[in-house]
Amino acid sequence: MASSSWLQSFLNPSKNWFAAQHKKAVAGRLRRYGLRFEDLYDPKEDLDIKEAMNRLPREIVDARNQRLKRAMDLSMKHEYLPEDLQAMQTPFRSYLKDMLALSIPVYPFALEWDGKVKENAGFCHKLLCHSVEVKRENAEREALGALPLYQRSIP
């Protein structure tokens, strides 16, 4: 438990100066192009992100697509947003977190840290749950005889 709390404090920007500096640098880079952190998630790579994106209202999805198009346009032109628009950007304002919490189920499995098994009482680590979800979906596809997603072709 001590190593878990140490890791949490190490990664928390309010407690660790280096984490705060990294968050500040990432925020600056996102502001240059007018992006939010959640805009960088790829729905083609992560099925949970895709499901969460499908549950979002159309206006939010359209705004995300506009931000991505603007960022690609600025990048191709080797330009940044004007300073006044950069100041208005909110790179860590979340729009996907609530829908992502709905799309990722909580699995009742035991986790092992420091040689001790701890029951999962409502806690779901995103990476572990995502791994379980992807393995379940891949097994379901194999049972149905479908090709993997990256091997499909249009007839």
Side-chain angles (χ1 to χ4, degrees):
M1 185 69 145
S3 67
S4 174
S5 63
W6 177 82
L7 183 62
Q8 290 294 331
S9 66
F10 181 73
L11 297 175
N12 187 353
S14 64
K15 295 181 181 180
N16 186 346
W17 183 82
F18 293 109
Q21 293 302 311
H22 176 69
K23 184 176 179 180
K24 184 179 174 183
V26 169
R29 290 178 184 157
L30 290 172
R31 276 192 189 100
R32 288 180 190 166
Y33 294 104
L35 290 173
R36 291 187 182 169
F37 187 75
E38 291 178 346
D39 292 340
L40 303 178
Y41 293 147
D42 187 6
K44 293 180 182 176
E45 293 292 324
D46 191 342
L47 298 175
D48 295 327
I49 298 292
K50 182 179 180 180
E51 179 63 29
M53 292 289 293
N54 289 337
R55 293 180 181 195
L56 284 173
R58 190 76 201 144
E59 301 84 33
I60 295 176
V61 175
D62 289 342
R64 176 187 188 268
N65 291 336
Q66 279 302 119
R67 285 192 299 271
L68 289 169
K69 286 180 185 179
R70 177 179 60 189
M72 286 187 280
D73 184 51
L74 289 170
S75 177
M76 292 180 74
K77 292 178 181 177
H78 299 283
E79 295 177 0
Y80 298 130
L81 277 178
E83 293 293 326
D84 58 333
L85 289 177
Q86 284 186 31
M88 295 179 0
Q89 300 303 312
T90 55
F92 291 110
R93 185 171 157 203
S94 177
Y95 62 90
L96 194 60
K97 187 189 313 182
D98 296 334
M99 293 300 165
L100 195 57
L102 291 175
S103 68
I104 298 178
V106 177
Y107 296 101
F109 54 84
L111 300 175
E112 185 175 335
W113 292 318
D114 300 324
K116 299 176 185 175
V117 174
K118 299 182 180 179
E119 291 301 320
N120 180 12
F123 170 78
C124 178
H125 191 272
K126 181 182 183 310
L127 295 176
L128 292 175
C129 289
H130 175 68
S131 174
V132 170
E133 183 72 17
V134 169
K135 287 178 183 175
R136 184 187 61 78
E137 288 177 359
N138 287 340
E140 185 178 341
R141 276 193 205 96
E142 282 183 25
L144 294 172
L147 290 173
L149 293 176
Y150 54 85
Q151 291 182 359
R152 293 185 182 171
S153 61
I154 298 174

